[in-house]
Amino acid sequence: MYGEPAGCCGPVDTKAPISVTINPEARVNVARTAARVEPVAPGHWHPIDLTIVNDGYVTGQLVIESDPVPGVELDLPPHDLTGEPRQEGAIRVRFDSPAVVDVTLNFRALGALGGLANHSAMHLLLRSQ
Amino acid sequence: MFQPLHASATRAVEKLRDIGEPLPDDLASQLAKLADGSQSSAAVEDLLRPYVLVDVSIDEQGLPISTPGAAQPRLVQHGWRSFLVRIDNPHRLVGDLAAQSNHVLNTVDYHSHAARIAMADTLTIVPRIKSSWLEVKLAGPTDVSGLDVEYKVISLYSRDGGSQSGELGFVLAVEEAEHSYTRPPMAKAWRRMGSENRPYQASYEFDCLSARDIRFDIREPDGSSCVAALTVRDSQRRSYPSKGMRLAPDMFFHEHVYRATGEVITLPIGQYEISARRGPEYREVRVEVDLTADDDAVTIELDRWADPARHGYYSGDPHIHAGGCSHYSVPSEGVNPETMIRHVRGEGLWMGSVLTWGPCYYHQKQFFSGSSISPRAELEWPAMQQAQGMNWDPQDTDHDSQSLLRYDLEVSGFPSSHSGHVILLGLTDQDYPGTKIIEDWPSYNLPVMRWGHAQNAMVGYAHCGLGLSVSTSELPNYVIPGFQSIGSNEIIVDVPLGAADFQCGAEFDPASELNIWYHLLNVGYRTLMLGETDYPCIYDDGPGVGRTYVQLPEPPQGPQALESWLGGLKDRASYFGDGRSHVYDFAIDGDTTREQTADAAGPVRVSATVAAWLPEDPPALPAAGQPAYSAPVGWHLERSRIGRTRTVLVEVLVNGVPAGSQELVADGNEQAVEFDVPLERSSWVALRILRSVHTQPIFVELAGRPIRASRRSAQWLHDSVDALWKAKSGFIREAERADAREAYDAAQAAYLTRSDEAEVD
């Protein structure tokens, strides 16, 4: 038997609002954690942390993608997966003016799967005030 | 606030599309146009209103009040239907939403992953099943974002046909600043709902389209009856029987179910795509049927492309479970042999080793007999099946006796499991001497291995690659891994002491699995490697995802079938992998025996018959935003494909290093391969298609000298023992630590001796 006897995919212990888990079969799941995304001030870049739990020894790039969303700029850098069991990362957001936007983020782990991507999506409600 | 509302609406519409219940084509385009044009929130709401089944209003205390929406409550018996839910959240609360109904069956506890509900106060849950007919769940994200209005998708499953009264409601677990481990937000929300006397559920008269039994006439190409894996989807890609309310032998984590010739699945009239397969030796057959009121049967002929048994090779999976892990984690539960044999037959396996382990040990050990068995695939709980409306009689088939189970043991969840999970195959006694409970067992593996050997069992390590990944795919490599997991860890101590026979893999990255094996072989040990699944812990798909083929003079049959299979594994030809490629009659100068001798160095001819099958074209990459869970992972011939061709690379190895290769068209045909290879010293030779198949080695000793093919391998093994001690010694009982250290020292001494004897670096 490999893994915990019950509840293999419990919540990630993190203070980051986003968790990315890569299971032993190299399947990627992204989820919101209990950590809130607080409203941010306009005019500045703000990081939104993410924690990557990599149980699949997956290496290569973790790519984060989103369609453009009016009212907000998104900085979605690719993250290099090292194969280590845990990595911390972040994306950044910047508002020009106070607004509320709903952003859909797609996560894809490349490379270690011979170009066949596994991906997962989540949405974030972002506020600037 | 238009953008967040529009994004939520779009996401819900896309979710309906993704789960196979798309709204009318023009609705999505109309929705998209609103983003470019009027940007009117009211227009979005008007567009979606006819498809909303439930309107939910969340009050200032977080209580969701549900009322019926405009959508017609039409369901289908034994199938899912999905609808929109509109959530009005004027107080902008944030939390997690759950759907509920008083009629929910709850056969699956998604928290514990148990397949049957645990009702400690009852002897039987049949009355509860009888009174329950509706399953509800939110599809997709369940979070309430804090928007004034947002849309979700709810899916409903009806067990029964006809007109049914029912209620739907929701519970909101509001995010709280203070976190409680004993009272999480959802538990508090349920308690709050329980104390409410306001009506908060919406009532409906559901109209449920009736279904009926469709009999499947499944046939092998020769017309014989058998068990196969059937995946039934309707025109909107919904699975049948519904995954939400399955009872053993049907598993909620499978798309497919296993059915024998003449058995049934309950289906409403409509169009279906039915795919059938019986393990990787078969190409998937797809049949499209339009079931009318007059139809009661579907005929399916399987498409076998490889038959290793005709070459004398018999398949086995040394690592499957009837309890624990993905499904039955109620510790004292699991499924019975009658269910396991159905799954093994449905994957075309000859042998399945059902391993009892920690959480289910005390319950599952009742099935251990020390003999191989091939029971009838009865239903475990006919009354529960009947209460659920699944009335089917198990059928015998022509191939039933070809598949056997053997109950044995995996030392997982035991005191020594930190050193790697040990598999013991062919036990006659499953209780370690002097123990009453699991916790009494040794805290390192060596004594357990020796106890197994004393019973003439074969012993080795499961999921070998765990703890051995070093972030390189090079083979062999000389990086010392951390040994901080549960794969082939202590094997480097046990092998030199004669206490470990094999490791199992074909699950993870080949470098992490094969490197340790190659090093052991390079210094002259005869360690075997097997393919396994660890079903349903590592792979849920079914038994035999990873498998082992052993050449035998006769099929393994009868109570001693496993012993016959293991005997062949020790002494005869075998190979392991994903079953999508096969290597028959692997020989050196025409000789297939495992141990060979020669007088002097010189060239040898390596030959075999190889067959592999890939579809002509690689699978399409998933569309952006679509999940790719069907993409091949681990060992899978698709990952051996060269570019976009249909060819794969067959390699011949001498002492772990490729000495020749040949491209092979993976069209399913058997093809002869030959390599002329120089042997400069005593060596082991093997064939592989990386990520799909690997043979056991043939060992060739020249001029009576043992195989000592790599000083660096001996050094790697020696140094790895230090890393192993660093990782494991703290988990070994104080009383056992000195003996363990002595064993570690003996192993290191053996590696140093072999290093000194090595002919080359």
Side-chain angles (χ1 to χ4, degrees):
Chain A
M1 170 270 161
Y2 165 74
E4 296 299 322
C8 71
C9 305
V12 174
D13 183 12
T14 179
K15 293 179 179 175
I18 303 171
S19 70
V20 181
T21 55
I22 305 173
N23 80 357
E25 298 174 27
R27 295 175 178 178
V28 178
N29 270 297
V30 57
R32 283 279 284 111
T33 71
R36 301 187 74 151
V37 179
E38 299 295 340
V40 297
H44 302 284
W45 285 101
H46 298 274
I48 298 176
D49 294 335
L50 59 93
T51 296
I52 303 162
V53 175
N54 185 353
D55 292 329
Y57 309 102
V58 171
T59 57
Q61 282 198 331
L62 178 72
V63 178
I64 310 170
E65 298 166 333
S66 172
D67 291 332
V69 179
V72 67
E73 288 180 81
L74 300 170
D75 176 24
L76 307 174
H79 289 61
D80 288 322
L81 298 172
T82 63
E84 294 296 313
R86 184 176 176 122
Q87 288 177 249
E88 306 297 334
I91 61 172
R92 296 194 307 158
V93 301
R94 190 171 81 89
F95 286 85
D96 287 331
S97 58
V100 180
V101 297
D102 185 318
V103 176
T104 298
L105 301 173
N106 288 296
F107 290 70
R108 300 197 295 152
L110 304 173
L113 294 172
L116 290 166
N118 287 308
H119 39 153
S120 183
M122 64 166 298
H123 76 104
L124 274 179
L125 194 70
L126 302 173
R127 298 174 190 274
S128 176
Q129 60 189 34
Chain B
M1 297 293 280
F2 172 80
Q3 191 276 335
L5 172 70
H6 187 267
S8 168
T10 302
R11 193 160 46 245
V13 170
E14 289 177 347
K15 172 57 71 176
L16 283 170
R17 178 201 65 195
D18 292 346
I19 62 177
E21 300 199 57
L23 298 179
D25 286 343
D26 61 336
L27 191 139
S29 58
Q30 289 181 53
L31 191 59
K33 284 177 186 170
L34 290 176
D36 301 330
S38 69
Q39 300 213 346
S40 162
S41 296
V44 172
E45 301 252 50
D46 289 344
L47 200 57
L48 299 188
R49 187 166 293 112
Y51 308 100
V52 172
L53 184 69
V54 196
D55 276 305
V56 180
S57 179
I58 301 173
D59 72 9
E60 68 276 16
Q61 297 174 331
L63 183 73
I65 308 291
S66 297
T67 53
Q72 294 297 311
R74 293 193 178 119
L75 307 182
V76 61
Q77 185 181 15
H78 287 282
W80 288 96
R81 288 293 181 266
S82 297
F83 304 88
L84 293 176
V85 178
R86 180 183 181 276
I87 298 168
D88 183 24
N89 184 14
H91 306 285
R92 298 183 179 180
L93 299 177
V94 176
D96 194 32
L97 195 69
Q100 56 120 225
S101 166
N102 293 335
H103 310 281
V104 169
L105 184 55
N106 275 344
T107 49
V108 178
D109 175 349
Y110 290 101
H111 178 66
S112 75
H113 295 261
R116 288 193 277 130
I117 53 172
M119 291 188 68
D121 294 339
T122 62
L123 184 62
T124 173
I125 61 170
V126 168
R128 168 128 182 218
I129 294 175
K130 278 183 178 173
S131 67
S132 305
W133 66 276
L134 181 66
E135 167 94 1
V136 296
K137 66 178 183 182
L138 282 168
T142 57
D143 59 309
V144 170
S145 308
L147 278 174
D148 293 4
V149 175
E150 64 186 301
Y151 287 88
K152 297 290 178 186
V153 173
I154 188 172
S155 298
L156 294 87
Y157 170 93
S158 173
R159 181 197 61 195
D160 298 335
S163 181
Q164 303 288 335
S165 299
E167 302 86 34
L168 295 175
F170 294 86
V171 178
L172 180 66
V174 179
E175 275 188 19
E176 297 174 349
E178 293 295 325
H179 177 68
S180 167
Y181 286 103
T182 54
R183 302 281 187 196
M186 189 56 81
K188 288 183 183 175
W190 280 106
R191 192 170 57 171
R192 189 166 59 241
M193 300 292 281
S195 61
E196 278 292 335
N197 55 10
R198 285 182 287 168
Y200 61 88
Q201 291 190 318
S203 297
Y204 301 86
E205 283 296 323
F206 290 103
D207 179 14
C208 307
L209 177 66
S210 294
R212 67 223 153 74
D213 289 346
I214 301 297
R215 186 171 50 81
F216 283 83
D217 188 17
I218 307 159
R219 297 289 170 181
E220 286 275 2
D222 65 2
S224 57
S225 57
C226 62
V227 181
L230 301 180
T231 303
V232 180
R233 292 190 179 96
D234 67 14
S235 56
Q236 294 181 292
R237 310 298 293 167
R238 294 176 290 227
S239 297
Y240 295 80
S242 166
K243 292 164 68 176
M245 292 170 70
R246 289 186 179 181
L247 292 171
D250 300 342
M251 300 289 125
F252 73 89
F253 51 86
H254 287 161
E255 283 295 321
H256 59 269
V257 295
Y258 294 102
R259 290 291 185 271
T261 309
E263 293 179 343
V264 300
I265 297 175
T266 308
L267 298 171
I269 59 172
Q271 294 180 322
Y272 296 91
E273 179 190 270
I274 301 166
S275 55
R277 194 167 173 265
R278 195 168 178 241
E281 298 163 16
Y282 296 74
R283 285 181 278 256
E284 188 172 81
V285 173
R286 290 189 181 179
V287 179
E288 293 191 357
V289 296
D290 187 355
L291 292 178
T292 68
D294 297 330
D295 295 319
D296 62 0
V298 171
T299 299
I300 292 176
E301 183 177 330
L302 298 175
D303 180 14
R304 177 188 275 274
W305 71 269
D307 192 354
R310 287 187 183 274
H311 292 265
Y313 289 81
Y314 297 93
S315 59
D317 187 338
H319 190 170
I320 61 178
H321 293 298
C325 247
S326 283
H327 41 332
Y328 323 100
S329 61
V330 173
S332 62
E333 287 288 344
V335 295
N336 289 356
E338 292 75 14
T339 290
M340 294 306 292
I341 193 68
R342 177 182 289 271
H343 293 197
V344 167
R345 286 175 182 146
E347 296 296 335
L349 281 167
W350 287 77
M351 294 296 314
S353 287
V354 187
L355 305 180
T356 299
W357 62 286
C360 58
Y361 177 70
Y362 299 107
H363 177 81
Q364 285 283 326
K365 66 185 293 190
Q366 67 178 299
F367 303 118
F368 174 84
S369 65
S371 297
S372 299
I373 57 173
S374 187
R376 191 164 191 264
E378 303 278 9
L379 300 180
E380 291 188 24
W381 306 98
M384 286 171 57
Q385 294 279 359
Q386 198 169 17
Q388 200 183 350
M390 306 285 273
N391 300 305
W392 50 292
D393 296 320
Q395 302 291 311
D396 298 326
T397 80
D398 298 329
H399 291 269
D400 281 359
S401 64
Q402 290 181 346
S403 296
L404 296 101
L405 305 177
R406 171 64 181 257
Y407 278 73
D408 267 313
L409 187 63
E410 180 189 8
V411 180
S412 169
F414 288 61
S416 66
S417 299
H418 59 82
S419 286
H421 290 182
V422 169
I423 289 176
L424 302 108
L425 301 176
L427 288 174
T428 55
D429 177 5
Q430 60 179 338
D431 290 304
Y432 191 82
T435 62
K436 290 183 179 175
I437 56 175
I438 285 174
E439 287 74 13
D440 294 338
W441 284 52
S443 62
Y444 68 116
N445 283 330
L446 183 62
V448 179
M449 316 289 276
R450 286 174 165 158
W451 165 71
H453 269 174
Q455 301 180 50
N456 291 321
M458 284 186 76
V459 300
Y461 280 84
H463 31 67
C464 61
L466 295 174
L468 303 180
S469 174
V470 290
S471 299
T472 176
S473 58
E474 193 177 349
L475 265 175
N477 69 71
Y478 301 92
V479 184
I480 305 294
F483 291 97
Q484 290 172 324
S485 190
I486 51 172
S488 280
N489 289 193
E490 200 193 280
I491 195 171
I492 53 175
V493 171
D494 302 332
V495 164
L497 303 183
D501 303 309
F502 62 83
Q503 66 168 18
C504 297
E507 293 155 320
F508 298 115
D509 164 45
S512 65
E513 295 188 331
L514 299 177
N515 194 50
I516 195 169
W517 187 42
Y518 287 3
H519 287 313
L520 287 166
L521 297 174
N522 278 350
V523 298
Y525 295 112
R526 279 7 184 204
T527 310
L528 297 157
M529 186 156 171
L530 289 73
E532 66 163 26
T533 303
D534 194 359
Y535 168 75
C537 296
I538 289 181
Y539 287 102
D540 287 344
D541 312 41
V545 172
R547 49 178 62 202
T548 308
Y549 290 86
V550 177
Q551 198 270 330
L552 296 171
E554 295 175 349
Q557 295 283 270
Q560 295 299 297
L562 181 77
E563 283 73 7
S564 300
W565 195 79
L566 294 178
L569 189 64
K570 283 180 196 168
D571 301 327
R572 305 174 71 96
S574 66
Y575 60 90
F576 65 90
D578 68 345
R580 294 178 179 83
S581 56
H582 301 269
V583 182
Y584 310 128
D585 304 325
F586 167 48
I588 293 181
D589 291 336
D591 185 354
T592 61
T593 55
R594 298 279 309 287
E595 297 282 349
Q596 300 184 20
T597 59
D599 293 333
V604 296
R605 173 154 293 187
V606 178
S607 61
T609 300
V610 182
W613 186 81
L614 277 175
E616 286 192 30
D617 299 314
L621 289 173
Q626 298 296 302
Y629 285 172
S630 59
V633 297
W635 284 52
H636 194 301
L637 187 66
E638 187 56 57
R639 302 183 72 182
S640 313
R641 189 192 290 267
I642 299 172
R644 298 186 66 81
T645 71
R646 203 184 187 183
T647 59
V648 296
L649 195 66
V650 182
E651 295 177 290
V652 58
L653 303 176
V654 176
N655 300 324
V657 177
S661 64
Q662 179 178 326
E663 290 191 5
L664 181 98
V665 179
D667 59 4
N669 291 321
E670 295 178 4
Q671 299 167 61
V673 297
E674 285 188 347
F675 301 93
D676 290 319
V677 174
L679 291 189
E680 298 172 358
R681 61 188 58 82
S682 296
S683 301
W684 62 273
V685 181
L687 289 181
R688 75 181 183 196
I689 300 173
L690 210 52
R691 288 195 181 276
S692 182
V693 71
H694 204 303
T695 68
Q696 302 296 340
I698 290 177
F699 301 97
V700 185
E701 293 192 346
L702 304 184
R705 288 196 295 272
I707 295 171
R708 301 289 186 267
S710 171
R711 191 173 295 114
R712 290 184 75 191
S713 287
Q715 191 66 43
W716 183 90
L717 289 160
H718 173 274
D719 295 348
S720 290
V721 174
D722 286 332
L724 183 75
W725 182 257
K726 182 180 176 185
K728 308 298 184 188
S729 57
F731 301 111
I732 300 173
R733 285 190 194 101
E734 186 68 35
E736 296 173 273
R737 201 169 295 155
D739 288 344
R741 183 65 248 184
E742 190 176 326
Y744 277 56
D745 290 341
Q748 286 193 302
Y751 292 134
L752 288 177
T753 298
R754 295 197 178 211
S755 175
D756 292 342
E757 294 169 352
E759 298 179 27
V760 289
D761 193 42

